[in-house]
């Protein structure tokens, strides 16, 4: 079977539709992951042992199980208890929760990397807990985290094709539907790969810039 | 009451496929990691370039797209793969690209004095690599290899979408036959989590074994 450029141009608009949904899901998922991660990181630092243990175990569990199964779980099991979610919302929740457990580690490392002296100085200046966090710890902890967070958001972007399994009409699903309609797989699937490669390469450039601007990624 | 025991047997069969995939994928990933990782630090430009292209390509496109490409596009250019072969190929090549960076990082983390000692002892480049550098670098790589293996285990869930009867696929079968979603999906989430725990436990004990007698040699 030969590569057919006419077919490529014909299916391009459909694929672009898919790219938009893919990017939308990535952006929404990133915001959710950033928030969930902060929540997990703070809960794990909580002096309440029961809370920090439970959240720690849950985060470990989510990180140790496949995103695909979690998506199925959200999409198929929650309706049984009366929570009916549109596919995109279910997908964003899945991405956000899954990557939230990863970003939580980034927050943890960022907060732990603020030197002890800063905490002690805040105490010596008689700052309240709230003031310590907002004026001393967070401003110092955030910049080194930025490249690492961006790294996970790029990883999340590459996981978005999984959303096609729960019927979100993103890039992969659009490609599969045109492939099944015309029974030509070469162009759609290769184009999906090309789209991902191009966007990933751009994001790598962005990541390098973030690294230079805010410091090295810690692995 | 549904006959859960029969369905549980089905899920266990799926678990075997998942384990098989994880093992075979890990072996391929390990081979690719060392080939590409050492290629990245080679003195030959062509090898370095080839390794970089491989790593960037497989890290830049999604595992999902690679799998579909291997399964749906390769047959059109004359290479027909069974779902299992396509799965192992995609998983191994994808995770191998991530692990290759780990190999490169570990090799480069070995101090200059070790390389100088190799020169002083008149060891060839390969001899030095084999007897001096790699044994030390291996210990640095191990923990991250463990994480990569868990990522691979999680990625195996995706092969259910190309009709390979792994855990996730069997859970879908059980769901279709019983109409119950909660039980099969919760079961496989727990099985995945246990497998992930087994991997991290295995890697940790391997690490302890390999680090034996190295106290004080490395920080």
């Amino acid at each position: 079977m030969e590569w057919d450029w006419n077919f490529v141009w014909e299916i391009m608009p459909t694929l672009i539709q898919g790219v938009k949904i893919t990017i939308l899901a990535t952006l929404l998922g990133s915001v959710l992951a950033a928030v969930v991660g902060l929540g997990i990181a703070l809960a794990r630092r909580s002096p309440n042992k029961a809370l920090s243990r439970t959240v720690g175990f849950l985060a470990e569990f989510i990180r140790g199980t496949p995103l695909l199964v979690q998506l199925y779980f959200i999409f198929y099991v929650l309706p049984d208890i009366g929570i009916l979610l549109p596919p995109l919302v279910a997908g964003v929740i899945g991405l956000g929760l899954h990557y939230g457990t990863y970003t939580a580690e980034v927050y943890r490392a960022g907060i732990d990397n603020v030197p002890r002296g800063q905490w002690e100085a805040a105490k010596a200046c008689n700052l309240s807990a709230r003031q310590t966090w907002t004026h001393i710890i967070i401003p110092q902890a955030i910049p080194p985290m930025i490249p690492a967070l961006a790294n996970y958001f790029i990883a999340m972007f590459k996981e978005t094709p999984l959303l096609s399994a729960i019927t979100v009409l993103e890039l992969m699903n659009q490609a599969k539907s045109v492939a099944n309609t015309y029974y030509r797989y070469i162009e759609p699937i290769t184009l999906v790969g090309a789209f991902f490669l191009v966007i990933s390469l751009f994001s790598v450039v962005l990541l390098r810039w973030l690294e230079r601007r805010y410091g090295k990624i810690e692995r | 009451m549904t006959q859960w025991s029969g369905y549980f047997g089905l899920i266990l069969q799926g678990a075997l496929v998942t384990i098989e995939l994880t093992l075979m994928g890990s072996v391929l990933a390990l081979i690719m990691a060392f080939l590409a990782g050492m290629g990245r630090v080679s003195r030959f430009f062509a090898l370095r370039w080839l390794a970089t292209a491989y790593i960037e390509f497989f890290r830049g496109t999604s595992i999902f797209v690679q799998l579909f490409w291997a399964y749906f596009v390769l047959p059109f250019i004359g290479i027909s793969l069974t779902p299992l072969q396509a799965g192992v190929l995609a998983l191994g090549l994808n995770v191998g690209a991530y692990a290759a960076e780990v190999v490169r990082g570990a090799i480069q983390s070995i101090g200059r004095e070790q390389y100088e000692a190799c020169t002083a002892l008149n060891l060839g480049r390969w001899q030095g690599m084999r007897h001096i550098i790699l044994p030390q670098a291996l210990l640095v790589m191990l923990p991250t290899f463990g994480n990569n293996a868990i990522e691979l285990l999680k990625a195996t869930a995706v092969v259910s979408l190309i009709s390979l009867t792994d855990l996730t696929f069997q859970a879908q079968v059980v769901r279709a036959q019983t109409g119950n979603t909660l039980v099969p999906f919760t079961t496989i989430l727990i099985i995945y989590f246990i497998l992930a725990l087994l991997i991290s436990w295995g890697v940790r004990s391997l690490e302890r074994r390999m680090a034996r007698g190295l106290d004080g040699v490395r920080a």
Side-chain angles (χ1 to χ4, degrees):
Chain A
M1 211 167 195
E2 288 298 308
W3 180 270
D4 180 358
W5 281 107
N6 287 330
F7 185 59
V8 169
W9 298 125
E10 199 180 315
I11 62 177
M12 205 50 117
T14 325
L15 292 184
I16 300 278
Q17 288 289 324
V19 173
K20 282 184 197 151
I21 301 290
T22 294
I23 291 176
L24 180 68
T26 311
L27 290 180
L28 293 177
S30 302
V31 172
L32 188 61
V35 176
V36 168
L38 187 61
I40 296 175
L42 291 179
R44 292 195 68 167
R45 294 181 71 86
S46 148
N48 182 345
K49 273 278 181 303
L51 178 70
S52 68
R53 288 260 171 80
T54 317
V55 172
F57 176 78
L58 278 179
E60 198 78 3
F61 188 84
I62 293 177
R63 219 173 326 143
T65 52
L67 178 59
L68 179 64
V69 184
Q70 290 160 10
L71 289 174
Y72 282 145
F73 199 88
I74 294 168
F75 192 59
Y76 293 123
V77 175
L78 291 189
D80 286 353
I81 54 168
I83 307 172
L84 202 65
L85 297 169
L88 184 62
V89 176
V92 167
I93 292 176
L95 286 173
L97 272 183
H98 192 84
Y99 278 90
T101 61
Y102 287 90
T103 54
E105 292 299 308
V106 178
Y107 285 113
R108 189 188 54 75
I111 294 169
D112 286 351
N113 275 346
V114 176
R116 269 180 67 90
Q118 299 291 328
W119 292 92
E120 286 159 7
K123 189 158 259 175
C125 292
N126 203 17
L127 297 182
S128 68
R130 199 191 135 80
Q131 285 170 322
T132 308
W133 278 102
T134 54
H135 296 301
I136 311 292
I137 305 304
I138 302 233
Q140 294 186 72
I142 294 277
M145 289 178 199
I146 290 175
L149 284 179
N151 206 11
Y152 280 122
F153 296 153
I154 295 173
M156 177 191 291
F157 165 71
K158 283 179 281 182
E159 296 264 19
T160 52
L162 287 181
L163 300 193
S164 67
I166 55 165
T167 70
V168 178
L169 273 178
E170 44 65 76
L171 180 55
M172 190 70 197
N173 218 356
Q174 296 282 18
K176 268 198 292 189
S177 73
V178 291
N180 289 333
T181 313
Y182 298 97
Y183 203 68
R184 288 186 68 91
Y185 285 92
I186 300 186
E187 292 91 351
I189 309 273
T190 309
L191 281 176
V192 173
F195 270 117
F196 272 96
L197 194 60
V198 169
I199 299 178
S200 298
L201 288 178
F202 272 114
S203 29
V204 167
V205 174
L206 180 73
L207 193 64
R208 294 274 176 278
W209 180 79
L210 284 174
E211 265 177 47
R212 269 204 310 280
R213 178 88 173 64
Y214 295 106
K216 274 262 170 270
I217 291 185
E218 288 175 69
R219 286 181 194 277
Chain B
M1 190 61 207
T2 334
Q3 285 281 260
W4 285 117
S5 61
Y7 290 120
F8 192 65
L10 209 60
I11 284 189
L12 279 187
Q13 278 173 25
L16 284 182
V17 175
T18 293
I19 293 170
E20 194 185 346
L21 256 174
T22 309
L23 287 180
M24 298 205 306
S26 299
V27 170
L28 180 61
L30 210 55
I31 296 172
M32 289 315 293
F34 275 98
L35 284 181
M38 311 229 324
R40 277 293 298 259
V41 294
S42 157
R43 8 172 209 178
F44 302 110
F45 171 78
L47 273 184
R48 275 205 309 274
W49 189 87
L50 201 67
T52 311
Y54 159 73
I55 291 171
E56 289 301 325
F57 180 79
F58 279 92
R59 294 205 314 171
T61 55
S62 157
I63 169 80
F64 195 80
V65 181
Q66 288 155 19
L67 187 69
F68 269 70
W69 209 83
Y71 190 60
F72 287 112
V73 177
L74 285 186
F76 287 115
I77 54 173
I79 307 167
S80 270
L81 298 173
T82 64
L84 185 68
Q85 287 166 338
V88 170
L89 192 71
L91 289 170
L93 289 181
N94 183 279
V95 177
Y98 285 91
E101 286 294 86
V102 179
V103 171
R104 180 186 62 87
I107 289 176
Q108 287 179 342
S109 78
I110 303 301
R112 260 186 76 80
E113 74 280 0
Q114 299 288 337
Y115 288 94
E116 284 162 6
C118 292
T119 315
L121 291 174
N122 203 17
L123 294 177
R125 269 182 75 86
W126 170 245
Q127 282 179 316
M129 197 48 114
R130 158 88 184 71
H131 295 289
I132 311 292
I133 307 300
L134 279 185
Q136 300 180 63
L138 215 51
L139 202 61
V140 183
M141 296 172 202
L142 255 184
T144 326
F145 275 169
N147 289 343
N148 285 337
I150 293 176
E151 292 295 323
L152 197 146
L153 166 72
K154 283 159 58 182
T156 57
V158 177
V159 299
S160 63
L161 299 170
I162 57 166
S163 72
L164 196 60
T165 54
D166 76 324
L167 264 180
T168 310
F169 188 90
Q170 301 289 28
Q172 291 279 34
V173 171
V174 174
R175 182 177 86 91
Q177 290 185 4
T178 61
N180 188 320
T181 44
L182 183 65
V183 176
F185 282 124
T186 312
T187 314
I188 65 166
L189 277 177
I190 293 171
I191 295 179
Y192 275 117
F193 186 57
I194 291 173
L195 290 177
L197 285 182
L198 278 179
I199 292 176
S200 66
W201 174 79
V203 170
R204 254 205 311 279
S205 50
L206 194 65
E207 202 187 327
R208 255 201 311 279
R209 231 186 116 117
M210 286 182 50
R212 203 177 285 162
L214 278 178
D215 299 333
V217 177
R218 294 183 58 83

